[in-house]
Amino acid sequence: MRVDDPTFENFVAQRLPALYRYAMVLTQNRHDAEDLVQEALTRTGLRWSAVRRKDSPEGYVRTAMIRIMANRWRRPRREVSVAAPPEPVAEDLGLARLLDDAGVRSRVAELPPRTRAVLVLRYVEERSDEEIARLLGCSRSSVKSQASRGLARLREAVDRTEVDHG
């Protein structure tokens, strides 16, 4: 796919690191995060003429990422082997700091993907339960229970760490 629009190229150049960090929080895996960003930007590029007129093109991409993730949960996962590794990823200092915090990384990584998505949408994106339910294709009560269980698991992990180190 090639979008010959400098506004799309500028958007990608400016927002790629933030979109990649967002994908890392959702997927907890560099390769899946790269795939997620690429797929979301591909979809966005195909609709760029309409997307760029919206209030928040980045919000559009993030919503696309959440919907892609929700669709992945619903279908069986198939991995494809490749002969050669993909090109190296550009380093992102913000992401590196996040990943260097082993406590945060391991606690969030232990959460199921859907629970991670609910917590990211609620506490990072500051979305309402209704918006989250619509994005993930589930009920509002499911969003509340996922958030409650996720926070409980994070609290338990923090409590265990404090007991072990205290």
Side-chain angles (χ1 to χ4, degrees), residues 22-117:
Y22 186 69
M24 276 298 296
V25 171
L26 289 173
T27 65
Q28 294 295 305
N29 175 299
R30 283 184 184 265
H31 301 292
D32 291 342
E34 291 167 8
D35 290 346
L36 181 59
V37 171
Q38 182 177 12
E39 187 172 345
L41 287 174
T42 299
R43 291 180 183 190
T44 302
L46 293 172
R47 297 190 29 84
W48 184 247
S49 62
V51 171
R52 72 177 179 196
R53 291 188 295 265
K54 294 186 178 290
D55 290 337
S56 175
E58 184 171 351
Y60 181 92
V61 176
R62 288 176 184 239
T63 299
M65 293 167 106
I66 290 295
R67 289 185 176 150
I68 291 165
M69 288 294 296
N71 288 336
R72 286 181 183 173
W73 297 322
R74 292 184 186 115
R75 68 183 154 177
R77 183 178 172 115
R78 287 181 254 144
E79 294 191 17
V80 178
S81 297
V82 294
E87 65 278 355
V89 177
E91 279 302 310
D92 180 330
L93 296 177
L95 177 62
R97 282 195 299 274
L98 173 68
L99 295 178
D100 285 344
D101 186 341
V104 170
R105 183 179 63 239
S106 67
R107 288 182 196 117
V108 172
E110 291 171 0
L111 297 174
R114 191 174 194 95
T115 303
R116 269 197 316 266

Side-chain angles (χ1 to χ4, degrees), residues 66 70 73-74 112-123 126-152:
I66 290 295
W73 297 322
R74 292 184 186 115
R114 191 174 194 95
T115 303
R116 269 197 316 266
V118 166
L119 294 179
V120 167
L121 288 168
R122 184 184 263 187
Y123 297 106
E126 298 180 351
R127 296 196 182 238
S128 70
D129 289 346
E130 292 81 15
E131 288 177 295
I132 297 168
R134 184 176 41 76
L135 288 169
L136 298 180
C138 63
S139 69
R140 200 169 134 238
S141 61
S142 178
V143 169
K144 288 182 176 215
S145 66
Q146 290 284 329
S148 177
R149 281 192 293 251
L151 290 174

